[in-house]
Every structure is written in structure tokens, then in C-alpha cells.
Amino acid sequence: MINEYKFEDGPELRDLFITVDDPESHITAIETFITYRVVTKTSRGEFDSSEYEVRRRYQDFLWLKSKLEEAHPTLIIPPLPEKFIMKGMVERFSDEFIETRRKALHKFLNRIADHPTLTFNEDFKIFLTAQAWELSSHKKQGPGLLSRMGQTVRAVASSVRGAVKNRPEMFTEMNNYMETFSQKINLLDKIAHRIYKEERDYFNEMKEYGPIHTLWSASEEDIADSLKGIASCIDRCCKATEKRMAGLSENLLPILHEYVLYSEILMGVLKRRDQIQGELDSKVDALANKKTEKDLFSEEIGKLEDKVERANNALKADWDRWKQNMQWDMRSTFTNVAENNLRYYEECLATWESFLASQTVDLHVDEDSEDRP
């Protein structure tokens, strides 16, 4: 559904379709890893073909995300699922884990494809089209160690300078919003996982609870039918609980955790915007204290002002898009949970009401037989 949902003002035909499927396990002497098939269909002129099929492993997705962050530091890059999973949820490389990751990787690529800027990124195109050896060769052409060290030093220097003096009010409000959002979504994520665990424990108890009534019925002839009826009701409610658990694990938990990751990403984007602003502020301060080289400083300040303006505009547009997307995701997710809960309770209620009705009929039959002379 997310592929079909557009936030632009007018209707727009999609020209890039991506599917992630067919996971394969690879075992070597050094490591075990999973690759996924990535199938791309497109009508864009910049692609040499209309269809591509490549295999990618998790590390390749990580590389793409880092390249997008490097090229677009103030855009909101969609999150990837973590490399390691929460202890006690699913085993690594189990079918459930692989399928959950496949869905997340599929969503990651399609969110990029639907983004008005990221979708035209050259590294994204290479990720979708290059064979494994070509991608490996392209990865080696990345920025060198000294360049990465320089970026790190600038980031650290910016953070040391402290709070940004001239941050526009809009970005202060964004920071405040994200702090609150992060607290709430992290709390929701923890509670949802706790609910799922409790539901799973309840389900396991229910699976043992029903058969006990069946075994008991063998030694209680007078109430055998009632005991078997209870066992049947418990079995049906157990199946309904299993479906409810599937709804939680497939719909609620992934969305909540995705937005936990989004909150971390957005806080990082806001910090990078502040770093650009801080660089401009420091140059302006330096110019005020300099009596010479004013022309050189003025030129640098002009370039930095343009850089800040581009960063601000990019983040503002992405912020609005992200909030719309988040609100739609949350609305549809919570609606889905409500509908699943309603179906679950209706199914269990109908099961037990049917059992009670049968017992009432049996009681009347027994009373009638006792009243006869």
C-alpha cells in the first residue's frame, strides 16, 4: 500500500517498481549470510534497460544508506532494519527473521524510489542495476580515509562549539517535537513488545489448557460432553489468539520500530543542519574580528549562506513529507490493530456464547426428563 500512496499535489504515474524477494543462504568458511533478489522495472530514460535483476546482501544495503546520507546530509533517509535483532523475539537466520528483514529491505528501497530527490541518486541506480563485481568495484571508488577523517573532525569541532546561535525558530520547534516523539515512540515500542511476549506466553498456556479438559472427559462420563465442548472452545480461541499475534508481529511491531529508527535518523539530520549553521556562524564571528582578508572571508560566508539555505529548504520539504507519511502509517496501523482486536473478541465471544447456548438446551432436556412420571 505504501507504494501506491503519494503525497504530491497531483496524480503521478510511478515509473520505478522494485521488489525484494527470494532470500538465499550462503555459507562460507568465514561467514554465513543471506542474499536477496532485487528486481527493478522502470520506464525511465536514464536506465539502459527496462528490467534488472541483481542479488544483494545486507552489507550492500548499508553501503547504499551511507552513500545517500553522504550525498544528502539534510534529507531524511529511510531506516534499515538493524543488523542484530532483539533477544527473545526470533532467532537469527530463522525463516521468520529472514522474512521480516526481507519486508523491511523491500520497504527501504521503495521509500527511496518514491522520494522525489533520492530516487534519482546515482548510487541508488548503481545499486539497482550493477552486477555483484561491478558494485564491488564501485564501492572501492568511495571517499578516501583522509576525506572521511576530515568530515569527522569537522563534525566533532561543530559539536564542541555548543548550541547554534542563529538557529531559525522552525528548527528549534522540530528539535522539540522530535525529542517528545522519540520518547513516546520508544515507550510504545517497548510496551508493544511486552504485550506480544505476554500474548505468546498466554497462547502457549492455552495450548496446554484445552487438552487437559479432553483427557478429563474420559473419566467423567456425566460431564464428558461439557468438558469436550470447553476443550473445543479453548482450541478455537487459541487459533484466534495465534492470528491476533500474527497481526501484531506483521503490522504493529515493525511500524513502531521503524519509527523508533526514524526518530534517531531525524535527530541526526537536525544535528547535521546545525553543524552547517554552526560553520557559518563561526565564519561570521571570525570576519567580525578580522581587519584583513575581509574579501576572502566574505566570499566564504556567501558560499556557506547558500549551503545553509539549501540545507534548510531540503529539510523543510522532507520534514513535511515525513510527517504526512508518519501520520498515515500510524493511522492505518492503529486502525488495523483495532479491527484485528474486534475480530478476535467477536470470534471468542461467539465461540463461548455458542457453547453456553448448547449447555442451556442440555439442561432443559435433563429437567424435562426428570419431571416425567
Side-chain angles (χ1 to χ4, degrees):
M1 291 177 67
I2 200 70
N3 295 345
E4 300 167 3
Y5 197 80
K6 305 298 292 184
F7 296 115
E8 284 72 20
D9 293 334
E12 182 178 350
L13 293 175
R14 296 182 70 239
D15 55 8
L16 188 63
F17 298 86
I18 305 168
T19 304
V20 178
D21 61 11
D22 190 27
E24 282 185 2
S25 179
H26 301 263
I27 302 173
T28 70
I30 303 172
E31 61 179 342
T32 299
F33 60 93
I34 307 294
T35 63
Y36 301 85
R37 181 173 65 175
V38 178
V39 178
T40 303
K41 296 181 180 181
T42 182
S43 57
R44 290 184 184 175
E46 63 265 27
F47 287 82
D48 296 330
S49 176
S50 61
E51 187 169 344
Y52 295 87
E53 181 178 315
V54 296
R55 295 203 72 84
R56 297 286 181 255
R57 57 184 295 184
Y58 181 76
Q59 288 180 356
D60 299 326
F61 287 86
L62 279 178
W63 169 84
L64 173 61
K65 184 172 183 291
S66 69
K67 295 300 287 185
L68 292 173
E69 288 172 344
E70 181 185 312
H72 308 283
T74 55
L75 289 183
I76 303 167
I77 311 301
L80 275 173
E82 296 105 326
K83 187 173 181 64
F84 301 104
I85 56 173
M86 230 175 147
K87 189 176 179 183
M89 288 301 294
V90 290
E91 294 298 322
R92 194 170 180 228
F93 298 135
S94 68
D95 290 344
E96 185 182 352
F97 167 78
I98 293 170
E99 176 59 13
T100 300
R101 173 165 284 185
R102 182 201 66 76
K103 288 179 179 178
L105 297 176
H106 176 87
K107 179 179 278 190
F108 170 73
L109 292 183
N110 278 280
R111 284 201 189 276
I112 296 170
D114 287 342
H115 193 283
T117 302
L118 300 178
T119 189
F120 297 107
N121 178 274
E122 186 63 22
D123 289 306
F124 181 47
K125 177 186 171 186
I126 289 168
F127 177 91
L128 296 176
T129 61
Q131 293 305 310
W133 66 270
E134 293 174 309
L135 182 64
S136 179
S137 175
H138 181 74
K139 284 181 181 181
K140 294 173 183 175
Q141 299 172 14
L145 177 62
L146 291 176
S147 172
R148 293 197 299 272
M149 285 177 64
Q151 293 169 5
T152 304
V153 168
R154 285 195 297 274
V156 171
S158 176
S159 64
V160 168
R161 280 193 294 268
V164 178
K165 292 188 298 183
N166 299 313
R167 179 197 287 158
E169 181 63 25
M170 171 186 291
F171 299 108
T172 299
E173 290 174 1
M174 284 184 190
N175 268 290
N176 295 337
Y177 177 92
M178 285 313 304
E179 285 177 5
T180 302
F181 178 84
S182 179
Q183 291 172 0
K184 302 302 182 189
I185 201 70
N186 272 279
L187 186 58
L188 275 178
D189 184 53
K190 287 177 183 175
I191 293 172
H193 275 91
R194 194 159 66 235
I195 289 171
Y196 179 81
K197 183 180 180 301
E198 291 171 357
E199 194 85 358
R200 187 178 57 194
D201 292 341
Y202 172 71
F203 171 72
N204 290 332
E205 294 286 353
M206 289 272 283
K207 282 199 298 185
E208 296 181 16
Y209 187 48
I212 292 172
H213 293 80
T214 304
L215 291 171
W216 187 16
S217 68
S219 59
E220 293 284 354
E221 186 177 341
D222 291 340
I223 57 171
D225 289 344
S226 294
L227 291 170
K228 288 177 182 176
I230 290 173
S232 176
C233 288
I234 292 171
D235 181 61
R236 286 201 288 272
C237 288
C238 201
K239 289 174 181 175
T241 302
E242 191 172 22
K243 284 192 287 187
R244 187 177 180 221
M245 285 169 57
L248 288 173
S249 66
E250 292 172 12
N251 299 314
L252 179 64
L253 298 184
I255 285 291
L256 290 179
H257 197 64
E258 181 184 19
Y259 279 94
V260 167
L261 299 177
Y262 257 129
S263 69
E264 295 170 2
I265 288 168
L266 268 151
M267 294 301 284
V269 168
L270 288 165
K271 282 181 183 176
R272 288 195 288 273
R273 194 222 70 87
D274 282 355
Q275 287 166 7
I276 296 170
Q277 179 81 53
E279 197 175 348
L280 171 62
D281 292 345
S282 67
K283 288 290 182 184
V284 171
D285 290 343
L287 177 61
N289 297 325
K290 284 270 185 181
K291 295 182 179 178
T292 59
E293 302 177 352
K294 285 200 172 186
D295 291 342
L296 179 61
F297 267 85
S298 297
E299 186 178 346
E300 289 182 21
I301 287 171
K303 290 178 181 177
L304 283 170
E305 285 173 341
D306 290 342
K307 188 177 180 181
V308 169
E309 185 177 0
R310 288 196 302 271
N312 289 349
N313 291 338
L315 180 50
K316 279 189 284 188
D318 238 18
W319 173 261
D320 292 338
R321 188 179 300 107
W322 176 81
K323 281 194 75 173
Q324 282 184 307
N325 206 344
M326 179 272 291
Q327 289 165 1
W328 183 82
D329 278 348
M330 291 300 165
R331 243 184 243 117
S332 61
T333 297
F334 292 138
T335 300
N336 184 272
V337 169
E339 289 171 349
N340 284 342
N341 283 340
L342 194 60
R343 281 193 293 269
Y344 168 77
Y345 289 114
E346 284 176 344
E347 191 173 341
C348 290
L349 182 63
T351 296
W352 288 108
E353 283 180 339
S354 176
F355 170 74
L356 285 174
S358 71
Q359 294 304 297
T360 304
V361 170
D362 289 345
L363 284 172
H364 287 317
V365 169
D366 290 342
E367 289 171 1
D368 289 344
S369 63
E370 288 174 6
D371 292 339
R372 287 173 189 161

